[in-house]
Amino acid sequence: MTTSGQAQHDHLIRLFAHAHWANEEILKALQNAEPISEKLISLFGHLLSAEKVWLERLNQRDSSNLSIWPITRLKDCELLVQENYTGYQSFLKPLGDTDLHTVIAYRNSKGTEFHTSILDILSHVSLHGSYHRGQISSYLRMKGHEPVNTDFITFVRI
């Protein structure tokens, strides 16, 4: 692997370690928020389910049977946090320089076919998660709970 390719690979590993840490922080906050809103569980479940769908696509497996809005229990979120982390680590570790530019063919939930590079998909998954974790944190604040700081810079300072 080239030096720049190794740096890019290492950065992706770090981004997904951040996503896992941030998901765990959100999970803890939701576990401690009483009463917990179904809306928040659904939103967190969506984030995690979307991560799972993209992982299936990256592994070139059919994701058409997976819903992106299926979760209604916090326990299911807890299981998916761990499952996604393990899945992404297994996917990311063996990737080489050129693998990141490999184009994956997949169908979205409406059946439309797309072709997207692994790097672009991984970037999307990371950004999508950050967006929804921010929504969850804002909603927690509106309901009188402490918002969750899941900023990347906070993660790297740990």
Side-chain angles (χ1 to χ4, degrees):
M1 189 176 291
T2 65
T3 304
S4 66
Q6 183 65 49
Q8 189 173 40
H9 181 263
D10 292 348
H11 182 68
L12 286 169
I13 295 283
R14 198 170 186 192
L15 276 179
F16 279 82
H18 163 259
H20 177 64
W21 167 82
N23 286 342
E24 286 188 321
E25 292 296 304
I26 292 291
L27 179 63
K28 284 188 272 187
L30 294 178
Q31 288 169 332
N32 293 323
E34 289 296 331
I36 185 66
S37 162
E38 280 188 36
K39 177 181 179 171
L40 287 179
I41 295 172
S42 178
L43 187 55
F44 191 42
H46 163 70
L47 179 167
L48 298 170
S49 296
E51 286 181 357
K52 176 69 174 176
V53 166
W54 283 109
L55 184 60
E56 291 301 296
R57 291 172 180 166
L58 286 165
N59 283 304
Q60 298 181 351
R61 295 187 292 248
D62 181 20
S63 65
S64 63
N65 63 330
L66 299 175
S67 173
I68 58 170
W69 291 99
I71 296 178
T72 58
R73 297 179 328 140
L74 204 50
K75 186 68 175 165
D76 295 329
C77 290
E78 185 176 352
L79 295 171
L80 202 46
V81 165
Q82 295 308 317
E83 186 180 314
N84 286 347
Y85 176 68
T86 301
Y88 275 100
Q89 290 304 304
S90 294
F91 179 80
L92 289 167
K93 285 186 181 179
L95 289 181
D97 274 12
T98 56
D99 296 328
L100 294 174
H101 301 289
T102 299
V103 173
I104 301 289
Y106 61 91
R107 293 190 180 278
N108 69 5
S109 58
K110 294 178 182 168
T112 306
E113 186 170 330
F114 291 93
H115 299 83
T116 309
S117 74
I118 289 174
L119 182 59
D120 286 343
I121 291 170
L122 292 171
S123 297
H124 168 73
V125 172
S126 176
L127 293 167
H128 179 260
S130 291
Y131 172 75
H132 286 304
R133 284 187 294 270
Q135 284 182 308
I136 292 167
S137 193
S138 293
Y139 191 80
L140 284 169
R141 180 187 298 259
M142 286 188 312
K143 294 298 179 182
H145 299 286
E146 188 67 29
V148 185
N149 181 351
T150 58
D151 288 344
F152 182 77
I153 198 67
T154 302
F155 168 75
V156 298
R157 291 176 182 158
I158 300 173

